[in-house]
Amino acid sequence: MAVKNTQELVLNMGPQHPSMHGVFRMVVHLEGETVTKIEPKLGYLHRGMEKLAESRTYSQFIPYTDRLDYLASPHNNWAYVQTVEKLMSVEIPERAEYLRVIFGELARIASHQVMIASTALDIAGWTAWSYAFRDRERILDMFEMTAGSRLTVNIMRIGGLSAEPPAEFWPALKAFLDDTPEMLEEYYGVFLGNEITQGRLKNIGILSKELAENLSITGPVLRASGVNYDVRKAEPYSIYDRFDFKVPVRTGCDSYDRTLIRMDEIVESIKIIKQAVRDIPEGPIMAKVPKVIKPPVGEVYHRVENPKGELGFYIVSDGTTKPSRVRIRPGTFINIQMLPIVAVGWKIQDVIAIFATLDAVLGEVDK
């Protein structure tokens, strides 16, 4: 009987385009179409954010944080300014805290909509992609009303916010909240309930609970592996301890649950926003902070629950107008280490699906 000899094929995938996860490159080792090894290659978008922070004043660096996870820029602003505020012991006005939560949760919804849409696109679901992007436009419209920008929404300031939402913001927000259940029903009907989608994602790329914990995975990827952990609950920041919401957890540990859990989280974000709108007080949106920010000598670390995982800032102050050291802990950078482990043994097309469900934005990976 003749013995068939197979030869290992080394395939280069990416980088392909300068946004989203297209800047990512991986060297894939194959036997036929089965993956035997993956070597992630990072650094194609590297911009030296941490060193830029050390050559800018504390306030000047705020717009740079927009460019980390640029699909949820208010969260990056929020994490950074809260870190500086923690260093300076600044108390934020109540109204500003509620507005921050509203903008943060809107950014979470918009980020999850992009994740659902891009996952559909990565497995050739062109129609499903358009639904989520259509609805995300309404959030970007609300951002533009207040901040004047749609993607890099630079609204957070050290001590509060830069602007009060205009009158037309509130009816637009109410209409969006009212329409969300129908949106989610459409996402399920056209995409997540589709048997082709389920065939491509269910039982694919299993990330066990134990491995997720050992790799320090955070965010929806962790919770889709059965771990009930969310910084908003574990270590509440801002005013999250005032809101009634659940932390969605799924136990399938696969690519399907990593996608579906974003739907669950959108539901909880809507709950939080409705409570914030109901309880928001009148008052100022900026604390009385010095025009020249010079935190006392010291160091601080602060973390938040970014849509893609735990985002933390470590800042060392030497008492001047510029930080002497800034270190960023991005969720996606940590989460991406699961790929070379989890993707081994799957087909090449499965690797695309697995990577899509990580919801990687290379702006915070190659920071």
Side-chain angles (χ1 to χ4, degrees):
M1 181 177 179
V3 177
K4 292 184 178 180
N5 295 320
T6 59
Q7 184 177 358
E8 181 184 63
L9 173 65
V10 179
L11 179 67
N12 179 71
M13 297 181 65
Q16 297 163 332
H17 60 86
S19 72
M20 288 293 290
H21 48 252
V23 198
F24 183 66
R25 177 186 173 223
M26 52 183 162
V27 178
V28 184
H29 297 248
L30 302 167
E31 284 189 6
E33 290 190 15
T34 303
V35 176
T36 57
K37 181 182 178 182
I38 288 181
E39 301 173 62
K41 304 291 184 180
L42 305 176
Y44 291 92
L45 196 66
H46 186 64
R47 294 163 293 173
M49 284 289 191
E50 294 170 339
K51 302 313 291 182
L52 282 169
E54 295 163 18
S55 61
R56 303 293 188 274
T57 66
Y58 286 91
S59 296
Q60 285 175 338
F61 185 62
I62 297 173
Y64 287 87
T65 63
D66 295 342
R67 278 77 178 170
L68 293 169
D69 176 5
Y70 41 77
L71 296 179
S73 57
H75 272 279
N76 305 300
N77 295 164
W78 196 4
Y80 173 71
V81 299
Q82 276 196 318
T83 308
V84 179
E85 290 161 357
K86 193 173 181 180
L87 190 58
M88 298 175 64
S89 300
V90 173
E91 187 174 343
I92 308 305
E94 284 281 294
R95 184 172 180 82
E97 290 282 25
Y98 279 90
L99 286 172
R100 283 180 172 185
V101 168
I102 290 171
F103 277 93
E105 292 306 315
L106 282 174
R108 191 183 311 278
I109 295 169
S111 176
H112 287 347
Q113 286 173 324
V114 173
M115 184 276 169
I116 294 165
S118 59
T119 300
L121 198 61
D122 282 347
I123 60 173
W126 287 86
T127 302
W129 165 83
S130 63
Y131 280 75
F133 260 79
R134 173 202 63 190
D135 299 331
R136 173 176 172 260
E137 284 296 303
R138 296 173 65 176
I139 295 178
L140 301 190
D141 287 342
M142 287 185 273
F143 286 163
E144 188 176 22
M145 290 176 193
T146 310
S149 56
R150 300 170 65 80
L151 186 66
T152 51
V153 187
N154 189 250
I155 192 171
M156 308 290 181
R157 295 293 183 268
I158 299 168
L161 288 93
S162 63
E164 180 79 39
E168 60 267 27
F169 174 88
W170 301 104
L173 177 60
K174 183 182 185 304
F176 178 81
L177 299 178
D178 291 343
D179 292 344
T180 305
E182 185 180 346
M183 295 176 194
L184 295 178
E185 189 176 331
E186 283 186 324
Y187 301 165
Y188 189 84
V190 76
F191 178 49
L192 289 162
N194 186 293
E195 63 178 315
I196 298 175
T197 299
Q198 295 186 12
R200 290 293 308 275
L201 299 178
K202 278 191 173 182
N203 300 315
I204 302 296
I206 304 297
L207 174 65
S208 69
K209 178 179 179 180
E210 294 73 23
L211 180 59
E213 291 176 329
N214 290 340
L215 293 177
S216 299
I217 303 297
T218 57
V221 176
L222 176 69
R223 294 187 283 274
S225 290
V227 181
N228 188 341
Y229 182 81
D230 186 309
V231 179
R232 293 173 295 174
K233 289 284 191 181
E235 193 176 295
Y237 54 93
S238 184
I239 53 171
Y240 273 110
D241 56 350
R242 303 182 188 181
F243 300 113
D244 178 24
F245 68 99
K246 298 178 181 178
V247 177
V249 176
R250 290 191 170 267
T251 56
C253 306
D254 58 9
S255 296
Y256 187 72
D257 273 8
R258 285 193 291 274
T259 309
L260 197 59
I261 199 165
R262 266 73 178 199
M263 302 267 284
D264 302 336
E265 296 204 354
I266 290 174
V267 173
E268 297 305 314
S269 290
I270 294 297
K271 289 182 186 177
I272 293 170
I273 295 171
K274 285 183 175 180
Q275 293 172 67
V277 172
R278 180 195 67 197
D279 298 337
I280 187 171
E282 295 296 328
I285 59 170
M286 270 296 293
K288 292 182 179 180
V289 295
K291 290 185 177 180
V292 178
I293 304 294
K294 294 175 70 174
V297 175
E299 59 182 344
V300 66
Y301 179 76
H302 179 68
R303 58 187 183 142
V304 303
E305 185 66 35
N306 205 45
K308 295 166 182 61
E310 182 181 316
L311 172 65
F313 281 87
Y314 170 70
I315 298 177
V316 178
S317 170
D318 58 5
T320 65
T321 58
K322 301 175 182 178
S324 65
R325 183 70 178 98
V326 172
R327 180 74 173 88
I328 304 169
R329 191 271 188 208
T332 306
F333 178 75
I334 305 298
N335 291 354
I336 214 168
Q337 65 183 315
M338 67 163 268
L339 186 64
I341 303 172
V342 170
V344 170
W346 296 102
K347 303 297 183 183
I348 188 69
Q349 65 267 29
D350 297 326
V351 173
I352 304 301
I354 294 167
F355 183 60
T357 61
L358 290 181
D359 193 19
V361 166
L362 271 290
E364 70 169 9
V365 174
D366 293 342
K367 62 191 183 303

